[in-house]
Amino acid sequence: PLAIITTLIVFRMTASVLLGVIKSFTTTFDTHSKQQTETDTVINWEKLQLGERIPQSTLTRGKILKNSAQKLSLILSDATYTKYTNYVELCKQSGYDLNASEASSSYSAENESGDALMLQFDYSEGLRIELSVQSAEEQTQDNGGEEE
């Protein structure tokens, strides 16, 4: 009888711990999903001011950080590493291959017009790609108004 009571107590404690872990996991998952839903929107590439200066991506979910005539910065949240590498290749084929710097999860380069592109794949943010395009006009301003 004592062995049965001990077994029942251990079983109940184990079940309680497991339920707590499941509840904690569910809460964390719900919170992450809710945050992603609240911050991510559908990206309409045609409405981006500099959208025509970079290749249009098939990725459509994310967050626009800056959308002006001088700079475009956005995070695309529906990215996978494969989609990121495919987009890097598309950018290279589109002329962003001058002064290039490439690592496993980042790529930066310029095109003949002097526009600068930076792509970064971030594992810690749940598969996101960050794009930044800086126009040649802004680079000239950054260099004190002098042409290089």
Side-chain angles (χ1 to χ4, degrees):
L2 183 59
I4 293 173
I5 293 173
T6 304
T7 303
L8 288 174
I9 291 172
V10 169
F11 177 75
R12 185 169 182 177
M13 288 172 48
T14 304
S16 177
V17 169
L18 286 175
L19 286 174
V21 169
I22 291 169
K23 185 182 277 187
S24 174
F25 174 77
T26 304
T27 303
T28 302
F29 180 77
D30 289 345
T31 303
H32 177 70
S33 298
K34 193 178 290 182
Q35 286 172 347
Q36 206 169 29
T37 304
E38 290 172 0
T39 59
D40 288 357
T41 60
V42 174
I43 304 292
N44 184 343
W45 285 79
E46 288 79 30
K47 292 189 178 184
L48 299 174
Q49 291 190 39
L50 292 175
E52 76 282 349
R53 309 242 333 236
I54 58 175
Q56 185 169 343
S57 174
T58 58
L59 301 169
T60 58
R61 300 239 13 115
K63 180 170 44 174
I64 298 171
L65 304 174
K66 183 159 183 146
N67 183 20
S68 70
Q70 290 78 36
K71 190 164 185 161
L72 171 65
S73 180
L74 50 105
I75 297 173
L76 301 173
S77 60
D78 56 347
T80 63
Y81 188 75
T82 300
K83 288 179 181 179
Y84 160 75
T85 57
N86 290 342
Y87 190 70
V88 168
E89 291 305 313
L90 182 61
C91 290
K92 289 177 183 178
Q93 294 168 7
S94 298
Y96 283 96
D97 57 358
L98 302 174
N99 300 319
S101 175
E102 187 168 5
S104 63
S105 61
S106 66
Y107 179 77
S108 62
E110 297 174 357
N111 64 10
E112 287 183 0
S113 300
D115 294 339
L117 172 68
M118 192 278 296
L119 305 172
Q120 185 174 15
F121 183 79
D122 190 343
Y123 292 99
S124 66
E125 288 194 341
L127 305 174
R128 294 176 184 245
I129 294 177
E130 184 175 330
L131 306 170
S132 295
V133 173
Q134 185 175 350
S135 69
E137 294 83 17
E138 189 175 72
Q139 285 182 351
T140 301
Q141 290 172 356
D142 290 346
N143 292 328
E146 298 177 17
E147 291 289 333
E148 292 183 19

